[in-house]
Amino acid sequence: MSNKEKERILTGDRPTGKLHLGHYVGSLQNRVELQEEYDTFLIIADVQALTTNFEQPEKLGEDVRQVARDYLAAGIDPEKTTIFVQSMVPEIAELTIFFSMLVTVNQLRHNPTIKSEADQYGYKEMSYGFLGYPVSQAADISFCRANLVPVGEDQIPHIEQTRKIVRKFNNLYGEVFPEPKALISDFPRLMGLDGKSKMSKSLNNAIYLSDSVEEVNKKIMQAKTDPARIHKDDPGHPEVCTVFHYHEAFNKEESGEIASRCRAGTIGCVACKKRMAKKLNEFLDPMRERRKKYLENPELIEEIIQKGTKRARKEAAITLKKVREVMKIDYFNN
Ligand code: TRP
Ligand code: SF4
């Protein structure tokens, strides 16, 4: 099928550092699989990252490259997927302004993800840009007229907001945009190494896609297990163990056997962790291999992003032309 007939995906990440296993199972894995069937656009949302990191814009350049390397290492194929940078497509900013008229401040204030992020960052008052980033995200999704958005479950309110905006736009002015659907993975939340909360960079409980063999071994050895297991033949409770949770995510074939042996007290935690670390390293090895190529040839990253951005701008120009037409603000056929 040519790209013309395929349905389109748009999704992406804020460039705020290295991607971890939680990103992988939460959405990256879906993207790698779906790039075969869908015309996929991946946005590196640097403007959105600025909504919280506006004090250190100079960090963004390296973070953009880091995210691109993580995508490519994880198996995103630049021949199939269009990787681009948000700030390099100014039409997205333009569409954000048009969309901003179709959203009320109260809708944004009640967005549960905005609320929990504002708490997390300790904002007593929110900047206009932060409160409004879901509108900008609606423009990220819509500028290329995407149909499907594979994301983690915390993004559901933003996709709902996008659908509302698009519906309102289409009703008011004419059909330009499809109503995009969210696609949530089977593993929307991967637990962090501390076993307390979801894997996250800020909680320092993450295994990164770019971790070395030694780092993975060390982190798994320190991971939280069932506290009831003091001796290696104590009966265990895999359902409360972080390492077991990882077996389910990355070692599905053996997880049934591991659960029964843990319950019966016939496998020790050290042996169980060694198996997990080995499995994870086997899983990360091909990513390490691919990453090496891009680390050794950093100009490849720039080429891929320049090419992706060019394609994104081409789609953006088509969309914005239609938008101006239906809104009747193309007075002079500009
Ligand atoms: N908000 C997303 C996150 O924090 C990143 C993002 C920006 C995004 N624009 C998007 C995700 C468009 C999906 C579609 O992870
Ligand atoms: Fe967890 Fe494995 Fe230990 Fe059971 S044996 S508590 S699953 S590490």
Side-chain angles (χ1 to χ4, degrees):
M1 235 193 308
S2 80
N3 276 349
K4 275 219 168 77
E5 300 149 45
K6 284 181 182 171
E7 291 224 312
R8 195 164 280 169
I9 280 179
L10 180 128
T11 182
D13 295 275
R14 299 178 192 187
T16 55
K18 300 179 278 193
L19 299 183
H20 52 60
L21 292 177
H23 293 114
Y24 187 84
V25 298
S27 120
L28 210 42
Q29 185 171 27
N30 265 336
R31 302 173 189 176
V32 171
E33 281 164 20
L34 294 170
Q35 68 181 339
E36 307 295 333
E37 276 172 67
Y38 286 81
D39 181 20
T40 302
F41 282 68
L42 268 187
I43 185 168
I44 305 182
D46 60 336
V47 181
Q48 192 177 110
L50 276 180
T51 63
T52 55
N53 291 356
F54 57 93
E55 282 161 324
Q56 302 116 329
E58 70 282 359
K59 276 184 61 234
L60 280 173
E62 183 40 39
D63 284 346
V64 164
R65 288 176 172 84
Q66 173 71 46
V67 171
R69 275 198 302 274
D70 279 334
Y71 284 165
L72 295 161
I76 294 293
D77 177 349
E79 294 299 319
K80 297 184 178 131
T81 292
T82 302
I83 304 176
F84 69 99
V85 174
Q86 187 184 21
S87 66
M88 291 163 74
V89 182
E91 291 84 355
I92 294 178
E94 190 181 350
L95 190 56
T96 302
I97 300 280
F98 295 146
F99 279 178
S100 70
M101 264 68 86
L102 310 178
V103 187
T104 68
V105 174
N106 262 335
Q107 276 172 354
L108 294 167
R109 279 219 180 97
H110 290 133
N111 179 309
T113 299
I114 288 283
K115 281 208 248 178
S116 72
E117 286 175 351
D119 283 348
Q120 186 192 324
Y121 293 112
Y123 293 158
K124 287 201 192 72
E125 250 198 290
M126 285 177 249
S127 76
Y128 173 55
F130 176 79
L131 179 68
Y133 91 69
V135 185
S136 157
Q137 187 157 334
D140 296 342
I141 296 169
S142 305
F143 89 89
C144 66
R145 306 175 309 282
N147 312 92
L148 194 66
V149 192
V151 278
E153 57 180 359
D154 59 325
Q155 298 295 303
I156 294 173
H158 301 337
I159 315 302
E160 275 310 310
Q161 181 67 75
T162 303
R163 291 167 62 84
K164 276 204 187 109
I165 292 175
V166 159
R167 223 175 290 145
K168 194 155 180 188
F169 184 99
N170 289 344
N171 284 337
L172 271 174
Y173 305 119
E175 286 285 326
V176 174
F177 302 107
E179 267 182 48
K181 291 192 185 63
L183 179 75
I184 306 301
S185 98
D186 303 338
F187 245 99
R189 264 162 195 273
L190 191 70
M191 218 192 289
L193 289 161
D194 54 5
K196 277 191 237 145
S197 40
K198 114 175 180 178
M199 191 173 278
S200 124
K201 186 177 138 221
S202 52
L203 297 171
N204 205 9
N205 63 3
I207 296 178
Y208 295 100
L209 302 182
S210 48
D211 277 350
S212 66
V213 175
E214 297 71 33
E215 282 166 320
V216 168
N217 290 342
K218 196 170 141 215
K219 286 180 179 179
I220 290 292
M221 284 305 156
Q222 291 165 353
K224 198 96 187 114
T225 61
D226 174 6
R229 297 206 74 194
I230 295 158
H231 307 292
K232 92 175 177 211
D233 49 4
D234 288 337
H237 309 84
E239 63 283 357
V240 301
C241 171
T242 322
V243 176
F244 182 67
H245 175 65
Y246 297 159
H247 276 294
E248 284 187 304
F250 296 97
N251 189 17
K252 195 114 201 83
E253 319 78 69
E254 291 182 326
S255 63
E257 177 215 326
I258 286 171
S260 15
R261 290 187 57 195
C262 172
R263 284 201 183 90
T266 58
I267 183 171
C269 288
V270 172
C272 183
K273 285 176 160 181
K274 281 197 172 139
R275 268 164 92 164
M276 183 70 259
K278 181 163 177 278
K279 201 76 202 177
L280 270 183
N281 279 319
E282 282 167 12
F283 165 76
L284 292 173
D285 273 339
M287 298 198 195
R288 293 178 178 129
E289 203 46 50
R290 283 191 289 264
R291 182 184 306 276
K292 218 167 96 195
K293 175 172 119 190
Y294 293 107
L295 282 170
E296 285 165 6
N297 307 285
E299 71 286 357
L300 289 178
I301 298 280
E302 181 172 346
E303 273 166 37
I304 288 166
I305 287 180
Q306 294 285 12
K307 194 169 150 226
T309 303
K310 209 164 153 196
R311 167 138 200 259
R313 284 206 71 181
K314 211 168 125 196
E315 284 305 322
I318 298 172
T319 305
L320 266 293
K321 186 165 186 291
K322 274 198 201 159
V323 164
R324 286 166 168 276
E325 258 167 44
V326 299
M327 291 180 77
K328 310 225 183 319
I329 54 171
D330 59 342
Y331 332 108
F332 305 106
N333 295 320
N334 50 343

